[in-house]
Amino acid sequence: MTHTTVHAYAAPAPKAPLERTTVTRRALGEHDILIEIKYSGICHSDIHTVRGEWGHETFPIVPGHEIAGVVAEVGAGVTRHAPGDRVGVGCFVDSCRECDNCRAGLEQYCTGASGPVGTYAATGRDGEFTQGGYSTHIVVDENYVLRVPDGIPLDAAAPLLCAGITVYSPLAHWQAGPGKKVAVIGLGGLGHMAVKIAHAMGAEVTVLSQSLRKKDDGLRLGADHYHATSDPATFEALADGFDLILNTVSADLDLNAFLGLLRTDGVMVQLGAPENPLPVVSGSLFRRRRTLAGSMIGGIRETQEMLDFCAEHGIAADIELIDADRINEAYERVLTSDVRYRFVIDAQTI
Ligand code: NAP
Ligand code: ZN
Ligand code: ZN
């Protein structure tokens, strides 16, 4: 069986601009699906990865784990999807399928020898290095491919595959809903989806952004309140106020100041993955029996549940669609928080 060569955008080295290139995709195995990629979201994790902020990586890397497209071809044993289906692929493309977490539908926490196999910059169980969604086609096992409901446009669906599920999972796990006060720190890709989804779940939603410059957007997206964290009065006014806080910030943050905004037994969930460790003072936690937790994307079953939830509530990402030759410019804009609210690459331009 031979590989197919397809076009892609790759980072050739840490911090180097991405450039047009080719990668190979494996021949279709029995349970594989060939997806014609239509759209690929730009997640801040792509940027952390290609800048080397999460440690050593093997280059070149084709980033992209917010993939939306159409099934082009299926392997002989595929039953879950058919040619023409609208599908998505998120942050992982395989896992051991045998550990307790995989069996429980928590493949993102797979404890097997290779863990969940990342959509890019990982070594698959076939020994091949994975390359992601900034590309025209990808081959993925049918069990790791999601169905995109008809009601969601494919371009606005792409960011749901990472940003959407990353906020949906903790909102569902910690039961955001009527009577719950939820705060979202950072109104970027993850943050704007958190506002929409928490609002759709019925929670009272507050945005905590660096400034008030995106306030109108925040309220339009479904927030009930909007505060600037650059104003010290915010921390006094909102002290002991929230049941649940999602921290989506990609940079260093004083977690202690934000922990002070949790009421007794409140939970703050760390979703942002900045390069540096963030110090936590014991008293920030024990004075109100507060919990600092973390959460990573979501399993396949829950990702499908999230897509169906978004379709039912008429929500998807607010995107800025770009041609592939603007990827590097988009990265620079994300780094200055100038994103409204997700860049999505039109794969036709790759
Ligand atoms: P993004 O679109 O860049 O949004 C991050 C937001 O954080 C910005 O829009 C900004 O919001 C705020 N921010 C940025 N720099 C800041 C600073 N110096 N101080 C305070 N606030 C700042 O990024 P994203 O794609 O949503 O990803 C956010 C983080 O989550 C990244 O670290 C990413 O790697 C991580 N992530 C984690 C998971 C997971 O499974 N846990 C999944 C996906 C992504 P304002 O302008 O409103 O202040
Ligand atoms: Zn991501
Ligand atoms: Zn596993």
Side-chain angles (χ1 to χ4, degrees):
M1 291 289 245
T2 54
H3 285 62
T4 314
T5 300
V6 302
H7 287 289
Y9 265 74
K15 294 196 169 75
L18 276 73
E19 51 190 44
R20 189 163 184 262
T21 181
T22 58
V23 289
T24 58
R25 300 299 188 188
R26 67 172 180 258
L28 283 196
E30 203 187 342
H31 291 285
D32 279 341
I33 293 182
L34 172 68
I35 299 169
E36 182 188 346
I37 299 174
K38 298 285 190 190
Y39 301 102
S40 198
I42 294 180
C43 176
H44 206 120
S45 299
D46 302 346
I47 303 177
H48 288 305
T49 305
V50 304
R51 288 165 60 93
E53 292 171 0
W54 289 349
H56 179 73
E57 306 280 359
T58 304
F59 285 81
I61 293 174
V62 177
H65 57 209
E66 293 187 335
I67 300 169
V70 173
V71 175
E73 238 183 281
V74 297
V78 168
T79 57
R80 298 168 69 99
H81 304 279
D85 284 0
R86 303 161 83 246
V87 292
V89 176
C91 298
F92 55 92
V93 288
D94 204 354
S95 64
C96 84
R97 310 173 193 207
E98 284 166 5
C99 71
D100 290 349
N101 286 341
C102 280
R103 287 182 189 280
L106 296 169
E107 301 90 345
Q108 75 274 33
Y109 305 127
C110 173
T111 56
S114 10
V117 177
T119 303
Y120 60 81
T123 302
R125 295 203 295 161
D126 55 5
E128 291 193 22
F129 190 67
T130 58
Q131 298 286 14
Y134 298 5
S135 174
T136 57
H137 298 80
I138 191 168
V139 173
V140 181
D141 182 290
E142 62 172 329
N143 293 297
Y144 296 81
V145 175
L146 287 305
R147 184 175 39 77
V148 176
D150 285 338
I152 311 179
L154 271 187
D155 53 359
L160 301 179
L161 276 306
C162 174
I165 183 59
T166 299
V167 298
Y168 179 90
S169 186
L171 288 168
H173 183 76
W174 280 282
Q175 296 165 338
K180 292 284 182 75
K181 294 190 178 193
V182 174
V184 176
I185 317 175
L187 194 67
L190 267 56
H192 95 289
M193 284 312 309
V195 170
K196 290 188 186 208
I197 292 173
H199 174 71
M201 288 175 169
E204 183 178 333
V205 184
T206 299
V207 174
L208 302 172
S209 181
Q210 292 167 93
S211 73
L212 295 179
R213 91 195 143 93
K214 296 180 279 192
K215 181 174 178 180
D216 290 348
D217 285 353
L219 299 179
R220 175 180 55 78
L221 295 167
D224 301 284
H225 316 281
Y226 201 105
H227 295 272
T229 55
S230 51
D231 181 356
T234 292
F235 292 91
E236 283 167 37
L238 303 180
D240 296 311
F242 298 104
D243 300 289
L244 179 62
I245 301 178
L246 301 190
N247 177 15
T248 77
V249 172
S250 49
D252 297 352
L253 204 65
D254 176 9
L255 295 187
N256 302 292
F258 290 91
L259 285 165
L261 305 185
L262 287 173
R263 52 170 58 155
T264 303
D265 288 331
V267 178
M268 180 154 102
V269 187
Q270 184 65 23
L271 299 175
E275 182 174 9
N276 303 312
L278 304 176
V280 174
V281 178
S282 307
S284 309
L285 294 169
F286 64 56
R287 275 196 285 116
R288 299 282 187 282
R289 198 165 57 190
R290 295 169 175 130
T291 299
L292 176 60
S295 184
M296 192 176 84
I297 42 176
I300 294 296
R301 201 187 305 148
E302 192 174 40
T303 303
Q304 190 62 58
E305 179 186 306
M306 175 275 309
L307 287 165
D308 295 342
F309 176 92
C310 287
E312 193 183 312
H313 291 270
I315 50 187
D318 282 23
I319 63 162
E320 189 172 332
L321 192 63
I322 59 163
D323 287 356
D325 61 6
R326 290 181 57 209
I327 293 172
N328 295 305
E329 180 193 326
Y331 273 29
E332 291 306 318
R333 284 183 51 195
V334 171
L335 286 169
T336 56
S337 303
D338 179 20
V339 51
R340 300 199 180 194
Y341 281 86
R342 198 57 140 188
F343 289 106
V344 172
I345 304 160
D346 181 350
Q348 267 185 355
T349 65
I350 295 174

